[in-house]
């Protein structure tokens, strides 16, 4: 939480930075609550230092910048390591930097906490790290932690005010009844001050103009206690060692498509967004489930040299920004279809997948879980070719390293391959002159289930089923139902982090096809706009409900389409290609396919 809180709601003295977090703090429910401690504390006239179970550690993720609590098991281990570190700091000269620093493995073996740097660092994904904070004082109601330095000062003042006195001695502070609103002490900070009325009545007052005006009004009206934020000492849920993650049941490697050279952290953010969607759904619809899935971002692009920046050298200076965008995004398609560099791309992704798997296996010996892959756009094509062993029309002999990587193949079995916004069928169609021949798109000995997931408006995505059986061009893809498994329209309130792409469109602009599961009843848009042409492409099948002839049915459906939720403007087709990462219907579909028992 930064110190910049210049904006204030005129109807509240809460800075907007505080307001945006209210009601969003993730909490772990346990039987031991801070209420039990408060009942004891209310009868005391002195304060003692917080115990480890009363302190809670938090991390701030890289997507929406909110403080999220560690589970009790992680928090206790971090707190103990922090106390040991503070003890060493007080006993040694820190100038020589020889103090040993313990790394604490947290979040079920996925991250390391570096207590000296106050960072939570991903073990498997270099570059992914979060800020951490020790929480001791909180805003009542929202339980947002105050910044560490502020909490440290408040805690020192609190202990000095209400420290236990020797027998026969007392202070005016400890003798003050809890119902009195007399100010025992005021501590000033740059943007607020804190008043102590009693051991259990500590109030923060903002120094913003609106807050001062409110205090002035309430004072003139004769109120004994002015407005402010009640502060709470110690977290509302006591940390417990029993509060720990379950063992990992399923690994999902998340593979990006084009454009990662320009922004190497994008796949990390997208994976975090998708993981948050899955976690929210799991807590809401399957709170008693012990299944655990972990998503690993796989960044394969930045390690590839490919042309040695020759393309950049031959790029004219005219419209440089647009050309740079194309060089770092669409150029990946040309690299992959090139007979010179396709093998390097496959080898690079395959090497990274195997590296992550072996790294995980070495830290979890004897692990018996399953592995799936969630790929996007061009990433679907590359993964498919790696799994099936397609070598491509490479004209250049592969380097010894590339050849060795490609002959080692993937060192794990794939349970599911989820393709999002995939152009795979186009690549396959252009590789053979008889794309209508019925063959297995993915042999089950290589991958048990294949899912081709796409949005109606995604201009990059193509169907897979008609490639294998031409009759499926007249059969609608399977409609992915609303998250939660509810038939018909989703009526429950969406989570706070719902994708921007699905939020910012008027209900009157929403494609009416989403209202009915019977997609064959859609009406044809007669307009001549580009968007009309896009929609007409889906509506042109006059006999979409024509049954297949005997023997034409595929053993498993492959094509799954999302409810249309974007506006009618053709510009939204671009957003459709990236909306999968924060789409709760996709997240629910993936979660229930990873763990089919959840749907029962």
């Amino acid at each position: 939480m930064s110190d910049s809180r210049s904006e204030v709601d005129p109807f509240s003295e809460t800075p907007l930075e505080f307001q945006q977090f209210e009601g969003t703090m993730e909490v772990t429910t346990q039987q031991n609550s801070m209420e039990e401690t408060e009942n004891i504390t209310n009868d005391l006239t002195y304060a003692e230092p917080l115990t480890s179970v009363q302190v809670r550690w938090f991390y701030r993720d890289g997507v929406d910048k909110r403080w999220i609590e560690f589970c009790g098991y992680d928090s206790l281990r971090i707190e103990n390591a922090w106390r040991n570190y503070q003890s060493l700091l007080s006993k040694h000269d820190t100038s020589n930097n020889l103090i040993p620093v313990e790394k604490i493995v947290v979040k079920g073996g996925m991250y390391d906490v570096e207590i000296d740097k106050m960072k939570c660092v991903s073990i498997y994904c270099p570059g992914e790290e979060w800020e951490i904070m020790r929480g001791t004082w909180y805003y009542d109601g929202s339980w947002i932690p105050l910044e560490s330095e502020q909490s440290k000062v408040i805690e020192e003042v609190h202990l000095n005010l209400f420290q236990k006195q020797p027998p026969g001695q007392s202070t005016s502070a400890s003798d003050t009844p809890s119902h009195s609103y007399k100010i025992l002490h005021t501590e000033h900070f740059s943007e607020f001050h804190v008043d102590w009325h009693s051991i259990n009545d500590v109030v923060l007052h903002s120094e913003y103009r609106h807050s001062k005006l409110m205090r002035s009004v309430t004072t003139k009206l004769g109120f004994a206690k002015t407005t402010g934020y009640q502060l709470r000492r110690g977290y509302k849920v006591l940390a417990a060692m029993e509060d720990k993650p379950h063992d990992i049941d399923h690994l999902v490697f998340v593979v990006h498509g084009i454009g990662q050279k320009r922004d190497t952290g994008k796949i990390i953010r997208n994976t975090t967004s998708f993981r948050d969607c899955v976690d929210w759904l799991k807590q809401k619809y399957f709170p008693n489930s012990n299944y655990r899935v972990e998503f690993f971002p796989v960044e394969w692009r930045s390690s590839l040299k490919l042309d040695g920046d020759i393309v950049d050298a031959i790029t004219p200076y005219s419209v440089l920004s647009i050309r740079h965008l194309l060089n770092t995004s669409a150029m990946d398609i040309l690299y992959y279809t090139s007979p010179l560099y396709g093998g390097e791309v496959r080898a690079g992704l395959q090497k990274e997948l195997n590296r992550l798997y072996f790294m995980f296996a070495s830290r979890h010996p004897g692990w018996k879980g399953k592995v799936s892959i969630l790929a996007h756009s061009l990433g679907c094509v590359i993964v498919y070719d790696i799994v099936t062993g397609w070598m491509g029309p490479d004209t250049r002999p592969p380097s010894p390293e590339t050849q060795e990587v490609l002959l080692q193949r993937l060192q794990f079995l794939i349970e599911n391959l989820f393709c999002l916004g995939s152009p795979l069928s186009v690549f396959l169609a252009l590789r053979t002159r008889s794309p209508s021949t019925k063959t297995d798109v993915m042999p089950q000995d290589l991958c048990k289930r294949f899912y081709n997931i796409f949005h109606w408006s995604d201009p990059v995505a193509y169907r897979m089923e008609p490639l294998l059986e031409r009759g499926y061009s007249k059969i609608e893809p399977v409609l992915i139902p609303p998250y939660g498994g509810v038939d018909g329209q989703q009526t429950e309130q969406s989570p706070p982090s719902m994708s921007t792409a699905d939020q910012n469109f008027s209900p009157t602009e929403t494609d009416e096809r989403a209202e009915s599961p019977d997609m064959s009843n859609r009406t044809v848009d007669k307009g001549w706009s580009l968007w009309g042409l896009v929609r007409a492409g889906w509506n042109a099948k006059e006999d979409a409900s024509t049954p297949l002839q005997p023997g034409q049915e595929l053993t498993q459906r492959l094509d799954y389409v999302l409810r249309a939720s974007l506006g009618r403007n053709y510009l939204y087709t671009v957003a459709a290609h990236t909306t999968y990462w924060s789409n709760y219907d996709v997240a629910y579909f993936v979660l229930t396919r990873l763990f089919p028992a959840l749907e029962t």
Side-chain angles (χ1 to χ4, degrees):
M1 197 176 299
S2 64
D3 292 332
S4 58
R5 300 170 186 151
S6 57
E7 295 183 275
V8 182
D9 185 339
F11 299 101
S12 169
E13 62 174 317
T14 307
L16 290 184
E17 180 179 313
F18 297 160
Q19 294 178 32
Q20 67 179 340
F21 289 112
E22 279 201 78
T24 64
M25 183 66 65
E26 295 183 8
V27 294
T28 305
T29 304
Q30 298 181 20
Q31 294 181 351
N32 297 328
S33 68
M34 285 303 299
E35 295 179 1
E36 300 173 6
T37 305
E38 289 177 356
N39 291 334
I40 299 174
T41 308
N42 287 336
D43 297 329
L44 299 178
T45 57
Y46 61 88
E48 294 182 340
L50 292 171
T51 63
S52 296
V53 298
Q54 293 174 288
V55 175
R56 184 56 64 106
W57 284 80
F58 295 81
Y59 64 92
R60 180 149 56 187
D61 64 28
V63 177
D64 48 12
K65 305 298 183 182
R66 58 197 177 100
W67 288 113
I68 303 174
E69 63 172 11
F70 282 100
C71 67
Y73 176 78
D74 288 345
S75 185
L76 283 172
R77 291 162 54 245
I78 298 172
E79 175 66 12
N80 291 335
W82 181 85
R83 296 190 180 205
N84 291 336
Y85 183 67
Q86 295 300 314
S87 176
L88 290 174
L89 287 177
S90 64
K91 297 177 181 178
H92 294 79
D93 179 12
T94 59
S95 60
N96 54 17
N97 297 319
L98 295 179
I99 297 179
V101 179
E102 176 187 1
K103 287 186 177 181
I104 307 97
V105 180
V106 296
K107 294 186 70 64
M110 301 297 294
Y111 295 82
D112 280 336
V113 162
E114 299 178 358
I115 207 69
D116 57 331
K117 300 177 182 178
M118 295 296 283
K119 295 287 186 181
C120 181
V121 182
S122 173
I123 295 173
Y124 302 99
C125 187
E128 182 184 13
E129 61 179 37
W130 300 327
E131 181 185 359
I132 63 173
M133 185 176 70
R134 183 175 185 259
T136 54
W137 284 83
Y138 306 85
Y139 293 92
D140 186 31
S142 66
W143 290 96
I144 299 171
L146 274 72
E147 292 292 338
S148 297
E149 291 303 315
Q150 300 164 349
S151 293
K152 181 180 179 181
V153 174
I154 295 173
E155 177 69 4
E156 291 175 352
V157 171
H158 191 79
L159 290 175
N160 289 333
L161 281 174
F162 304 107
Q163 60 185 331
K164 189 174 183 179
Q165 302 297 321
Q169 298 184 19
S170 63
T171 64
S172 58
S174 61
D175 290 338
T176 303
S178 60
H179 63 271
S180 171
Y181 292 117
K182 176 183 177 182
I183 298 177
L184 305 177
H185 179 80
T186 298
E187 190 72 20
H188 291 276
F189 298 86
S190 60
E191 297 171 351
F192 60 84
H193 70 267
V194 177
D195 290 338
W196 276 261
H197 300 283
S198 72
I199 190 172
N200 296 311
D201 193 354
V202 183
V203 182
L204 180 149
H205 296 282
S206 173
E207 296 294 352
Y208 293 104
R209 181 174 58 186
H210 296 286
S211 301
K212 292 182 177 180
L213 177 62
M214 287 295 296
R215 291 201 299 274
S216 175
V217 170
T218 54
T219 301
K220 291 180 180 179
L221 291 177
F223 291 101
K225 185 178 181 180
T226 59
T227 57
Y229 308 111
Q230 191 75 39
L231 299 183
R232 296 298 180 189
R233 181 173 180 254
Y235 197 52
K236 62 178 179 179
V237 178
L238 297 180
M241 293 296 287
E242 295 77 18
D243 174 29
K244 61 184 301 185
H246 297 281
D247 293 335
I248 297 174
D249 301 292
H250 214 125
L251 292 182
V252 179
F253 292 119
V254 184
V255 179
H256 66 80
I258 64 173
Q260 201 70 19
K261 182 180 179 181
R262 184 181 178 91
D263 185 0
T264 57
K266 187 175 182 180
I267 186 59
I268 295 176
R269 297 192 300 273
N270 289 339
T271 303
T272 300
S273 179
F274 194 82
R275 182 190 299 125
D276 289 345
C277 291
V278 171
D279 289 344
W280 185 89
L281 291 166
K282 187 174 181 295
Q283 292 173 13
K284 181 174 180 61
Y285 296 103
F286 313 105
N288 298 322
S289 170
N290 292 331
Y291 293 122
R292 181 182 169 199
V293 56
E294 282 294 344
F295 296 89
F296 283 53
V298 182
E299 201 286 291
W300 53 266
R301 181 61 179 86
S302 62
S303 63
L304 301 180
K305 302 301 181 183
L306 298 178
D307 65 4
D309 296 328
I310 294 177
V311 171
D312 289 338
I314 63 177
T315 301
Y317 288 111
S318 59
V319 289
L320 189 61
S321 59
I322 297 178
R323 291 184 181 272
H324 180 64
L325 176 63
L326 294 176
N327 286 356
T328 55
S329 56
M331 189 62 64
D332 284 345
I333 299 175
L334 298 182
Y335 283 134
Y336 190 61
T337 56
S338 164
L340 295 179
Y341 303 117
E344 288 187 38
V345 174
R346 288 189 296 276
L349 175 55
Q350 182 172 305
K351 182 178 180 180
E352 181 65 9
L353 286 168
N354 283 334
R355 183 191 73 84
L356 289 171
Y357 177 77
F358 283 124
M359 189 175 180
F360 176 84
S362 66
R363 286 175 168 260
H364 299 80
W367 182 73
K368 301 296 183 181
K370 299 178 180 179
V371 182
S372 292
I373 294 180
L374 180 72
H376 179 245
S377 192
L378 179 65
C380 305
V381 182
I382 307 173
V383 170
Y384 178 86
D385 291 343
I386 291 174
V387 174
T388 58
W390 188 78
M391 299 300 293
D394 292 5
T395 60
R396 183 179 63 176
S399 64
E401 181 183 0
T402 298
Q403 186 174 17
E404 181 181 357
V405 170
L406 293 175
L407 295 176
Q408 184 195 37
R409 302 283 289 273
L410 287 180
Q411 298 302 299
F412 53 87
L413 298 177
I414 300 177
E415 187 75 11
N416 305 282
L417 173 57
F418 300 96
C419 291
L420 307 178
S422 170
L424 174 60
S425 59
V426 173
F427 280 76
L428 296 181
L430 297 179
R431 292 174 183 173
T432 176
R433 293 185 180 274
S434 55
S436 60
T437 302
K438 185 176 181 180
T439 58
D440 288 333
V441 65
M442 181 69 76
Q444 288 197 351
D445 60 333
L446 300 177
C447 175
K448 290 187 178 180
R449 282 301 305 267
F450 176 93
Y451 299 94
N452 184 43
I453 302 170
F454 61 97
H455 193 285
W456 280 117
S457 307
D458 189 341
V460 179
Y462 288 83
R463 292 196 61 182
M464 180 64 68
E465 292 169 340
L467 180 70
L468 307 180
E469 193 62 67
R470 190 65 62 87
Y472 272 87
S473 63
K474 301 178 181 179
I475 302 296
E476 295 286 0
V478 180
L479 179 65
I480 294 179
Y483 66 87
V486 181
D487 292 333
Q489 187 177 0
Q490 177 66 35
T491 58
E492 296 194 39
Q493 183 178 3
S494 299
S497 58
M498 198 64 162
S499 71
T500 305
D502 284 344
Q503 279 183 329
N504 297 335
F505 305 106
S506 167
T508 61
E509 293 182 345
T510 302
D511 193 331
E512 294 179 358
R513 292 174 296 176
E515 303 299 327
S516 172
D518 184 5
M519 302 301 286
S520 62
N521 292 332
R522 296 171 300 170
T523 57
V524 178
D525 187 349
K526 302 297 184 180
W528 286 99
S529 65
L530 178 57
W531 177 247
L533 295 176
V534 172
R535 292 188 61 190
W538 291 111
N539 290 297
K541 306 175 183 62
E542 297 178 357
D543 53 350
S545 60
T546 303
L548 292 171
Q549 298 297 321
Q552 289 184 323
E553 296 87 353
L554 298 175
T555 57
Q556 296 176 338
R557 293 300 302 267
L558 305 177
D559 293 335
Y560 294 83
V561 67
L562 284 166
R563 295 180 294 152
S565 59
L566 299 180
R568 295 177 185 271
N569 190 313
Y570 70 90
L571 293 176
Y572 297 147
T573 61
V574 178
H577 187 56
T578 58
T579 191
Y580 306 102
W581 304 114
S582 52
N583 188 292
Y584 285 80
D585 291 347
V586 176
Y588 188 88
F589 181 84
V590 170
L591 176 62
T592 53
R593 291 321 185 266
L594 294 174
F595 305 111
L598 292 178
E599 288 204 303
T600 60

